[in-house]
Amino acid sequence: MFECALIQGELFRKLIASVQDLVQDGNFMCDANGISLQGMDSSHVALVALALKKEGFVEYRCDRDVTLGINFANLAKMLKCMGAKDRLSIRAQDEGDSASFVFESEDSSRVSNFELKLMQIDQEQLGVPETQYKAVIRMPSSEFQRICKDLSAIGDTVSISVTKEAVKFSVGGDIGSGDMSLRQSESGDVDGDDSEKVMIELEEPVQQNFALRYLNNFTKATALSKTVTLSLGTDMPLVTEYKMDNLGSIRYYLAPKIDE
Amino acid sequence: PFQQQTITNFFFKA
């Protein structure tokens, strides 16, 4: 038997919204520690990895490891029926062919029950090697979203270059070119919210090119976290990570574009 | 001028 409950069901809906345009379906792997999900886009350019810790749930029970094969568009249809402040419970039998989703309003005056048919998904899991990244940037997620959206109107590839002082997003297209730089926030600045700051950890300067179409897709997760962390190395995928307080994180890996 | 790499070039099959 697998059973879990989230006070903020809305968070789960946002999570599904953050993967469903990239990956059509996937296996929720549930074990005693939490839930994980991995999936690639159809072109195998990007990989999304979701990790939810059991500590983030108000209730969590997993007697035996279960795999829930889920079509995200279908799940999203059911989650649409959930109220913004509803509590969400998910239940599945060990060998069942469906999972139940229960939405309950704050005052328990409304309860909704949905059964989602599960799928058998034959999906290979990819191993992500432990990597020492050359540059790690933490910035407001809304700022990253705006940059990706605005630059994609000018070109389809962004060059991200990082130095100790700043991270620069450059774009070029038929109409011209441009760049936007974000300076590392002053370390002595004790005022203000930490999530508003731009923090750069740098081992050595790095520059890589990425498809804006995918980055824009990743920013669907902006609603999940105030900050986003970008990790870059030379000739390796970019990691775009959104951390949710104690629930876990969603990570997107994007293969670089190589300048020929 | 850019060539898109695939993620499977970097990550191994588990």
Side-chain angles (χ1 to χ4, degrees):
Chain A
M1 177 82 181
F2 169 73
E3 206 168 1
C4 70
L6 265 182
I7 293 279
Q8 278 183 278
E10 180 73 6
L11 216 48
F12 190 76
R13 178 160 57 197
K14 286 176 182 166
L15 272 171
I16 298 304
S18 305
V19 296
Q20 75 174 107
D21 290 337
L22 205 62
V23 188
Q24 284 188 336
D25 43 45
N27 287 322
F28 272 99
M29 320 280 272
C30 312
D31 63 26
N33 299 313
I35 305 174
S36 63
L37 167 84
Q38 197 191 75
M40 270 187 285
D41 74 296
S42 56
S43 317
H44 293 186
V45 169
L47 177 122
V48 55
L50 187 62
L52 305 179
K53 297 179 287 187
K54 70 167 183 193
E55 290 80 9
F57 296 87
V58 273
E59 281 167 35
Y60 193 89
R61 174 187 163 191
C62 187
D63 304 331
R64 259 199 343 183
D65 293 6
V66 287
T67 300
L68 309 178
I70 285 179
N71 175 288
F72 299 125
N74 293 345
L75 174 56
K77 286 177 192 167
M78 293 186 170
L79 293 176
K80 220 172 175 177
C81 303
M82 181 171 62
K85 293 190 167 171
D86 283 4
R87 167 194 167 109
L88 165 71
S89 306
I90 307 172
R91 261 180 232 116
Q93 301 296 334
D94 285 348
E95 304 289 339
D97 56 4
S98 70
S100 86
F101 292 81
V102 181
F103 319 138
E104 196 175 341
S105 63
E106 272 181 304
D107 60 0
S108 301
S109 63
R110 187 188 59 240
V111 181
S112 315
N113 278 291
F114 290 89
E115 284 286 318
L116 179 70
K117 286 183 187 163
L118 298 176
M119 308 167 66
Q120 287 289 337
I121 302 168
D122 189 20
Q123 213 169 48
E124 57 183 5
Q125 293 283 304
L126 288 183
V128 178
E130 279 290 314
T131 309
Q132 189 65 39
Y133 290 96
K134 292 200 159 69
V136 179
I137 303 128
R138 199 190 72 196
M139 60 188 284
S141 57
S142 55
E143 182 85 21
F144 180 62
Q145 182 180 41
R146 196 177 65 89
I147 289 171
C148 292
K149 182 168 167 277
D150 292 351
L151 294 186
S152 63
I154 297 162
D156 55 15
T157 302
V158 65
S159 165
I160 305 179
S161 57
V162 196
T163 61
K164 223 172 3 183
E165 293 78 27
V167 51
K168 185 162 82 172
F169 300 86
S170 314
V171 71
D174 295 341
I175 63 163
S177 63
D179 63 67
M180 296 171 91
S181 287
L182 296 182
R183 289 215 182 89
Q184 150 109 309
S185 303
E186 297 291 328
S187 55
D189 178 14
V190 287
D191 297 329
D193 191 347
D194 237 21
S195 65
E196 300 287 315
K197 290 179 180 169
V198 176
M199 313 288 275
I200 300 172
E201 282 170 42
L202 191 85
E203 212 167 272
E204 61 180 272
V206 57
Q207 192 212 333
Q208 290 253 264
N209 305 307
F210 299 100
L212 278 162
R213 185 164 70 88
Y214 285 93
L215 294 178
N216 267 317
N217 215 316
F218 302 167
T219 62
K220 300 248 162 73
T222 303
L224 292 168
S225 179
K226 278 186 179 175
T227 63
V228 60
T229 305
L230 309 176
S231 303
L232 292 107
T234 305
D235 194 28
M236 65 170 64
L238 164 78
V239 191
T240 307
E241 183 179 29
Y242 295 84
K243 278 193 184 131
M244 298 161 284
D245 297 333
N246 61 344
L247 184 58
S249 68
I250 183 165
R251 282 183 186 174
Y252 301 93
Y253 297 87
L254 177 60
K257 283 183 161 188
I258 307 286
D259 206 349
E260 281 180 337
Chain B
F2 293 111
Q3 198 198 336
Q4 177 66 62
Q5 305 289 295
T6 60
I7 204 89
T8 37
N9 289 352
F10 301 94
F11 297 161
F12 53 87
K13 285 170 192 169

